[in-house]
Amino acid sequence: MEVIVQPTPAEAARIAAMLIARAIERKPALVLGLATGGTPLHLYDELVRMHREEGLDLSRVRTFNLDEYLGLPPDHPASYRRFMKEHFFDRTNIDPRRTFVPDGLTQDIPRHCREYEELIESVGGIDIQILGIGSDGHIGFNEPTSSLASRTRDKMLTAQTRRDNARFFASPDDVPNSCLTMGIGTILDSRQCLLLAFGSHKADAVAAAVEGPVTSMIPASALQFHADAKVLVDEPAATKLKLRAYYDYAYRHSPVLQ
Ligand code: F6R
């Protein structure tokens, strides 16, 4: 894994946006895997800015979101479809027909999950997967003890995740207890992963994922098996990393990033 520490979330997000923009220039029909939550907001803002001010063309890009709450209609204020529409899709020239978010109202979960996987495969797989990390080490909604080989499926959320995400709902009791999520195997199939993590409350999870053993207790540690995973963090999220000096040196001397 390549760890890049930046002074602020905005600076880390700028690097992620630059990598995505370069990839779109090389391949206009890029397939992007997307995350929701607080973490990727700076990244979406920066991509929107690049679209408006620098002509970044997203019209041929396809997107697949990692997850969705079960039981929420797409227009629910806390649904991930609505989140993506407000924070990203409606602010760019992305074609809504090329955006995919798992359907939280599906009546046939196994079939819907199988079709989601097949759709990803039919467009050639995900080129760049954006990831956040939960304070319990989850990626997507793959909670601790998720199979490291898992595919898109329904998953029960932990009490910790429901507490962490209560801020997006009118009341903590409104947070659904289950979701649909790409699996860890699905995420590992993407060609590149960009994991973003900001704030001191992510420091333990980041250190465990990057420098700890690979374990389903920290699902993000599975990224150690990925051949091209970059971890972009701000200073507070980097405080528990032991090899910090090495990461900074590698970043300063990276021909791709400098
Ligand atoms: C959401 C997702 C989750 C979040 C994680 C961090 O689509 O994939 O793994 O990235 O829960 O959430 P925030 O960014 O709100 O701290």
Side-chain angles (χ1 to χ4, degrees):
M1 280 200 257
E2 201 175 338
V3 180
I4 300 163
V5 184
Q6 292 292 294
T8 64
E11 282 158 286
R14 258 204 300 279
I15 294 175
M18 181 268 293
L19 291 169
I20 293 168
R22 274 194 205 160
I24 295 172
E25 275 158 26
R26 281 194 302 270
K27 180 181 175 186
L30 196 81
V31 183
L32 265 179
L34 299 177
T36 55
T39 305
L41 288 176
H42 287 288
L43 169 61
Y44 296 144
D45 283 347
E46 179 61 9
L47 288 171
V48 169
R49 190 199 63 74
M50 287 172 144
H51 165 65
R52 289 181 181 160
E53 295 174 15
E54 295 169 12
L56 177 67
D57 180 11
L58 296 153
S59 60
R60 294 182 56 201
V61 166
R62 283 194 187 82
T63 66
F64 288 89
N65 266 78
L66 282 164
D67 40 21
E68 179 60 283
Y69 291 108
L70 269 172
L72 293 197
D75 57 350
H76 186 284
S79 86
Y80 285 168
R81 165 58 77 179
R82 171 92 173 255
F83 176 101
M84 291 312 305
K85 214 170 127 50
E86 282 175 7
H87 293 286
F88 191 41
F89 298 157
D90 282 0
R91 302 165 69 205
T92 68
N93 66 338
I94 283 187
D95 178 350
R97 291 167 306 181
R98 294 165 89 91
T99 66
F100 303 93
V101 181
D103 177 5
L105 292 185
T106 180
Q107 294 304 304
D108 187 341
I109 291 174
R111 180 175 172 180
H112 179 63
C113 292
R114 203 172 49 246
E115 288 176 353
Y116 202 68
E117 291 271 341
E118 285 166 3
L119 202 54
I120 293 172
E121 209 182 314
S122 72
V123 300
I126 291 173
D127 291 302
I128 300 182
Q129 177 66 59
I130 312 298
L131 296 165
I133 185 169
S135 55
D136 61 2
H138 71 225
I139 45 175
F141 270 143
N142 295 285
E143 298 286 28
T145 70
S146 287
S147 159
L148 301 186
S150 49
R151 312 301 305 188
T152 304
R153 69 206 181 294
D154 57 320
K155 190 77 193 162
M156 199 61 77
L157 299 172
T158 61
Q160 169 83 52
T161 297
R162 294 183 71 229
R163 268 195 305 277
D164 286 350
N165 289 0
R167 67 191 195 280
F168 296 109
F169 290 82
S171 133
D173 292 338
D174 293 347
V175 184
N177 62 8
S178 57
C179 66
L180 297 176
T181 180
M182 281 187 204
I184 297 175
T186 323
I187 292 168
L188 291 179
D189 280 350
S190 61
R191 291 182 189 87
Q192 182 175 57
C193 287
L194 300 179
L195 184 142
L196 306 172
F198 307 130
S200 55
H201 61 301
K202 300 290 175 76
D204 285 321
V206 167
V210 175
E211 296 178 341
V214 174
T215 166
S216 66
M217 285 301 284
I218 304 288
S221 67
L223 293 174
Q224 293 178 33
F225 282 125
H226 197 285
D228 189 358
K230 293 191 188 346
V231 177
L232 296 121
V233 296
D234 65 355
E235 288 288 348
T239 49
K240 302 274 173 78
L241 291 167
K242 293 197 187 80
L243 295 187
R244 169 66 193 273
Y246 168 67
Y247 306 138
D248 288 350
Y249 181 87
Y251 173 64
R252 278 199 306 278
H253 294 85
S254 160
V256 177
L257 294 167
Q258 293 304 326

